[in-house]
Amino acid sequence: MSQMPQQAALAKCPSCAEPLESGDLFCGACGYDLSVVPAVPQDHPTLTMTGSAGPGDGVDWPAPELAGSGSTQPAAHSSTDVPGTDSGGNALHHEEPAAPGVRFDRRPEPDEYPLQAPDPRASAGPAAPPAPAASDPAAAPAQVCVACRAGRVDDDGYCENCGHAQPRERDRMERESGPVAAVSDRGLRHHRNEDAFGVAHTVLPDGSPAALAIVCDGVSSATRPDEASMAASQAAVDTLLAALPRGTHPQAAMHEAIVAAAQAVNSLAEEPEAAREHDPHQNSPACTIVGAIVTGGLLVVGWVGDSRVYWVPDDRSAPPARLTEDDSWAAQMVAAGLMSEAQAYADERAHAITGWLGADAYELEPHTAAFKPDRPGVVLVCTDGLWNYAETAEEMAEAVPADAAARPLHSARVLVGHALDGGGHDNVTVAVVPFPAAPQGAGSA
């Protein structure tokens, strides 16, 4: 696409593309050793197509009431009744082709972001710092660089010997909350983790338990996607933990959570100029969102974007199912009957998303659906960093350990490992939520 003329820019880091100052020996952003300069990967501009927003307004959710009060609850479906309905009761499949505005959720990345090779001179350099004396309990052991294994790591996270940036907290995150667990990994090709998640459990007014998981994937072509995903996941979880215990129907609560997440991401675009000095050409932070609530015999899912929810029964002779439909160019081409699924996902535009959270989104259209599985199993909430390596429900079920319901954290680790073994081209995040057996006699609504 055309670009505005720019002044001659400073040299950029070949690893993270951050501007460099004259005389820099290491990149101030990622610690890359500038004395070893590889070929700069080809850079492509953010790919977007703009147009006027489509007609329609957001969904006004009716005031929910508790079960047993005589009110009409949102319809629930069997686990194989895919794709379910959105918040307004409409079918998820659209008959129209792609919306005029689409956003690509990733930009080309270098093939790898390997750790910098240890400097051969390190063998003659300073020895690893000695451990503090046992008699000094206040002294913490000095962190040793993961690259050269010799230098100390300073307070800013860089090695004082080789200058290499150390792994960050979000490069690998694991968490459990009651029966639900999640794992997120930076992957093997990205320089940072732009995914985020939240897992929690609570109790409904009638005393029954509820488990929930929210997963967000930062849009890489946007500014500060990692902040967008973190803000969205936290806002959604906080909203669910406030709504469910007070009796809000889970499907209505999920709708509220997605709206709250969108507001949290929108607020990032309103920060003062001081927070944006490093990038005068930035755009609005953006991310996708997907979530699941398991309570009693009900499973509720909600999403905007192309992250997914899968259902995998404990009885592997029963069919698994994908419970969400992507907001993407490929999905809309297939739904409109313009291309086969194989053709659409082979196209370079396949992962162009048509729905996201962010100030520049055309219109917020949260999708929610409710299901009543008739047998125990697990619910997988994941980003495309996983489902790119197990796209169909059958492929995903094959990757899930047989004891997933009993060992959700182990299963999440196995699934992340499956993506890393497949190449790890993207950030990888998955939450595993066990689903208990439905009460006897409960069928599809």
Side-chain angles (χ1 to χ4, degrees):
M1 68 181 183
S2 60
Q3 296 178 331
M4 295 179 60
Q6 299 178 349
Q7 298 178 353
L10 294 173
K12 293 183 178 180
C13 172
S15 173
C16 69
E18 286 293 319
L20 303 172
E21 297 291 343
S22 177
D24 281 352
L25 299 179
F26 300 96
C27 173
C30 69
Y32 190 86
D33 185 352
L34 300 176
S35 65
V36 183
V37 182
V40 179
Q42 184 180 4
D43 184 30
H44 297 280
T46 299
L47 299 175
T48 58
M49 292 183 288
T50 58
S52 60
D57 298 322
V59 176
D60 292 328
W61 194 272
E65 296 188 27
L66 294 178
S69 62
S71 63
T72 302
Q73 299 287 349
H77 313 272
S78 73
S79 60
T80 55
D81 259 350
V82 181
T85 61
D86 63 17
S87 299
N90 303 312
L92 299 179
H93 286 293
H94 303 288
E95 298 180 357
E96 298 295 329
V102 299
R103 184 170 196 158
F104 285 80
D105 64 347
R106 62 178 55 75
R107 56 176 174 247
E109 293 274 352
D111 285 343
E112 294 189 15
Y113 285 93
L115 291 176
Q116 181 68 31
D119 190 333
R121 295 168 295 181
S123 59
S135 59
D136 183 10
Q143 182 180 351
V144 179
C145 175
V146 300
C148 69
R149 301 292 183 182
R152 296 173 181 266
V153 177
D154 63 21
D155 293 338
D156 294 328
Y158 295 90
C159 176
E160 295 177 347
N161 178 52
C162 70
H164 198 283
Q166 304 303 294
R168 290 158 290 193
E169 180 182 0
R170 285 184 66 172
D171 285 355
R172 177 81 178 196
M173 299 180 291
E174 299 185 354
R175 196 163 302 149
E176 288 183 292
S177 178
V180 58
V183 174
S184 182
D185 193 280
R186 185 191 72 176
L188 305 178
R189 304 296 180 92
H190 281 237
H191 67 283
R192 65 180 174 186
N193 190 356
E194 297 171 355
D195 289 356
F197 68 83
V199 293
H201 65 287
T202 186
V203 178
L204 303 186
D206 62 1
S208 61
L212 58 99
I214 296 290
V215 169
C216 296
D217 185 353
V219 176
S220 295
S221 60
T223 301
R224 295 148 58 207
D226 52 333
E227 295 181 32
S229 62
M230 184 62 73
S233 61
Q234 291 178 343
V237 170
D238 290 345
T239 300
L240 291 175
L241 290 179
L244 293 172
R246 67 170 179 255
T248 304
H249 188 276
Q251 193 169 355
M254 180 63 77
H255 183 95
E256 293 177 8
I258 294 176
V259 172
Q263 293 171 345
V265 178
N266 290 349
S267 67
L268 296 178
E270 301 171 359
E271 292 192 353
E273 291 292 333
R276 298 175 281 173
E277 291 179 352
H278 69 286
D279 190 353
H281 306 293
Q282 69 172 343
N283 51 15
S284 299
C287 68
T288 67
I289 186 170
V290 66
I293 303 171
V294 169
T295 174
L298 188 66
L299 163 60
V300 169
V301 301
W303 74 98
V304 174
D306 64 347
S307 294
R308 295 179 175 179
V309 177
Y310 290 85
W311 160 255
V312 179
D314 287 347
D315 178 5
R316 297 304 170 84
S317 64
R322 173 156 66 95
L323 305 182
T324 58
E325 290 290 333
D326 300 342
D327 288 324
S328 70
W329 181 91
Q332 290 202 355
M333 291 298 101
V334 174
L338 301 178
M339 303 176 75
S340 69
E341 187 168 355
Q343 291 172 329
Y345 280 97
D347 193 284
E348 63 180 6
R349 296 166 291 181
H351 287 277
I353 56 175
T354 57
W356 63 87
L357 307 183
D360 62 351
Y362 287 91
E363 183 178 1
L364 178 62
E365 295 183 0
H367 310 290
T368 66
F371 303 88
K372 285 188 174 180
D374 58 359
R375 64 196 68 208
V378 290
V379 181
L380 308 179
V381 186
C382 66
T383 62
D384 59 347
L386 172 60
W387 68 251
N388 276 332
Y389 299 98
E391 186 169 340
T392 68
E394 292 73 21
E395 290 172 336
M396 186 65 74
E398 290 179 2
V400 177
D403 59 352
R407 303 174 65 193
L409 180 58
H410 167 76
S411 299
R413 290 169 176 165
V414 169
L415 289 169
V416 169
H418 176 78
L420 298 180
D421 291 343
H425 285 73
D426 200 355
N427 306 144
V428 188
T429 303
V430 60
V432 179
V433 190
F435 187 92
Q440 187 174 1
S444 301

